[in-house]
Each structure stands twice: as C-alpha cells, then as structure tokens.
Amino acid sequence: MAVLLLAEVNDGTLSTNATAKAVTAARQLGDVTILCAGADCAAAAREAATIDGVSKVLCAEDASLDKLLAEPAADLIVSLAGDYTHIAAPATTNAKNVLPRVAALLDVMVISDASGVVDADTFERPIYAGNAVQTVKSLDNRKVITFRTASFEAAGTGGNAIVEPIAFSGRTDLSEWIEDKVEVSDRPELTSAGIVVSGGRGVGSEEDFALIEKLADKLGAAVGASRAAVDSGYAPNDWQVGQTGKVVAPDLYVAVGISGAIQHLAGMKDSKTIVAINKDEEAPIFQIADFGLVADLFEAVPELTEKL
C-alpha cells in the first residue's frame, strides 16, 4: 500500500500541524509520500520532509498552483495517482475543494472527514452532528480520503525524507484567483490552537465579547464562538466552532456562556479538557465538561482573568 498525501501549503508556508496529523492517519495505510504544491513550495517541502513516518516528499512548483485552485491541483494529483492506492489530505478548505474533483476524475467515491482507520478499505466518519459514527467501506481500487485532523495526534519531527522536485504545467483558463480576505491576528489559528476560549449567546453583546478576548489573551489562546453568538453579531463568522463552523480539539477548551447545543458540541467535544462557565446549572454543556463552574460569567471571567 502507498499513500499520496496532499500537504496543507498556503502561500509557500506549510501548515505543519494539519499535515502532521494527516500523516498519523495515513501511516496506518502504508508508505506515505507527501505532495507539496504551489508557486513556491520548496521551503514547505523541506519542512514536510522532517515529519516522522514520511518516505518521500514531492515538490511541484508552478505558477498555476499558486493558490491551489481545484482544477490544476486535481490535474497534478491525477497525473501522479497511478503509483498510489490511497490519495489523502487533511480535511481543510483546500482539500475539500480539490479532492472531490480528484475523485470525480478518477471515477471513485470520496470519503470525507474520516476520523478513524479500520483497514485499508474501511474508515469511520462522524454523522448526525457527531452523535453517531458511520463505518464506510470502499470497493474502489483507489481510495480518496480527507482526514478530520481533530481526531489524530500530530506525527513528530526528526524525519529526513528525500525531497524530489517534479515538473508540472497546469491550465489556468478554467478558474481564476481574484483575492484573499484574511483577518490578521496575533492570536493562534483557531483549528490548531492548544487552548481555545469560546463565548456564547450568554455573553450578551459584541462589546461584552471583549471579556472573552481578554481571557484568551491571558492564556495565549484562540477565540471561538457558538453559532448563536455569531448569528447575534457578537463575533465574526471565522470564530464559529461547531457542526457548521470549525472543528477543534485543543488541550484546553473554555466554554463561556455556551449552553451546549448539539451543533456546537460536534465541533469541540474531542477537546482534551473542557471547562464550562454558565449560570444555568442545567445547561447541556456540563454533561461533557471536565470542570464546570455555575456562576455569572460577568463576575467569574473578569476575576479569572485578573488572577491569571
């Protein structure tokens, strides 16, 4: 068995955390070859080569791969697919854009958000907002999979894989990159942060969400929010944690003023330690919390921040 794993590379920078977690999953299937693609990805390829368990790194540099648009990226992967039984990637925005097109071109199914590997043909994935686990068996001769990174530990570093440049020239007439609008923040990225502090509808307003941000800054944490908080305009969309937001699995998750709707739990229940602060002692969040504090968040959070 051989696996071609598409690395998460953005503007020439490797997302080491997402890629290393996908490596952990892919190693259960066979020898792992990482594919780094972009207009300038040599540095990312060298970094990927240091991940434990990687046999080889392919580095494809071409202007058409600059923003990893689905059309040229899929053509690249399909051109390499003949040597591999499995084509995989971390379940990121890029992979969810590229791999369905790869699967269509190869005329096979795509297994998305796999959270467990049973064997080379069989995988587990969460359904019904994480309330059930579906076991999927594929009879295709080539498997195309995205791995939910929150379900796997990151592979270590210390590897020394060979980096092999490969030539590629993709079409640029099918789609065009216009612009990225990315919020710049000094805080850790939400999906890879070791600590996340999230606020819910109980915070009450956009102004009062500053309490959440101050606590997060004291902890060196990322800031998250429930869908209710986002829909109420208290927090931006890219902070949303949950079934229709981002899936996180930090070492510490602090839920403030979050009742614990099933859609939110689906995005954070794999956190190593969950702390909940809510004045409603019947809030569902306390059923999964490791530590729960029944208190008024407007008193508890400033006191906690001050003591930290």
Side-chain angles (χ1 to χ4, degrees), residues 135-156:
T135 302
V136 181
K137 184 170 184 176
S138 171
L139 300 180
D140 292 327
N141 61 357
R142 190 167 289 109
K143 314 297 187 290
V144 177
I145 317 142
T146 61
F147 288 112
R148 176 177 281 208
T149 54
S151 301
F152 302 93
E153 295 293 332

Side-chain angles (χ1 to χ4, degrees), residues 187-191 193-200 203 208-226 229 235 238-241 248 250-258 264 268 271 273-277 297 301-302 304-305 308:
R187 298 190 182 101
E189 204 279 321
L190 182 56
T191 56
I195 304 174
V196 174
V197 180
S198 284
V203 177
D208 286 332
F209 223 82
L211 292 173
I212 306 299
E213 296 182 63
K214 288 178 182 177
L215 177 57
D217 290 341
K218 272 294 182 77
L219 292 168
V223 178
S226 67
D238 60 341
W239 287 4
Q240 184 176 324
V241 173
V248 300
D251 295 326
L252 173 62
Y253 187 89
V254 183
V256 181
I258 294 175
H264 185 76
M268 48 66 74
S271 303
T273 301
I274 299 172
V275 175
I277 302 173
L297 71 89
V301 173
L304 177 58
T305 304
L308 287 169

Side-chain angles (χ1 to χ4, degrees), residues 163-185:
V163 177
E164 179 183 322
I166 57 174
F168 176 76
S169 181
R171 293 176 61 182
T172 58
D173 58 334
L174 292 175
S175 62
E176 179 186 2
W177 171 78
I178 303 298
E179 66 175 329
D180 285 335
K181 293 185 178 180
V182 181
E183 183 176 339
V184 178
S185 174

Side-chain angles (χ1 to χ4, degrees), residues 72-181:
D75 287 344
L76 168 64
I77 294 170
V78 170
S79 72
L80 300 169
D83 295 330
Y84 301 94
T85 56
H86 297 75
I87 296 168
T92 60
T93 302
N94 280 337
K96 289 177 180 179
N97 187 34
V98 173
L99 260 61
R101 186 176 179 88
V102 171
L105 291 171
L106 294 174
D107 194 23
V108 299
M109 68 185 291
V110 61
I111 301 170
S112 60
D113 256 356
S115 58
V117 177
V118 178
D119 58 39
D121 301 319
T122 314
F123 305 88
E124 295 175 341
R125 60 187 302 273
I127 58 172
Y128 301 131
N131 277 304
V133 176
Q134 180 183 53
T135 302
V136 181
K137 184 170 184 176
S138 171
L139 300 180
D140 292 327
N141 61 357
R142 190 167 289 109
K143 314 297 187 290
V144 177
I145 317 142
T146 61
F147 288 112
R148 176 177 281 208
T149 54
S151 301
F152 302 93
E153 295 293 332
T157 56
N160 189 25
I162 296 171
V163 177
E164 179 183 322
I166 57 174
F168 176 76
S169 181
R171 293 176 61 182
T172 58
D173 58 334
L174 292 175
S175 62
E176 179 186 2
W177 171 78
I178 303 298
E179 66 175 329
D180 285 335
K181 293 185 178 180

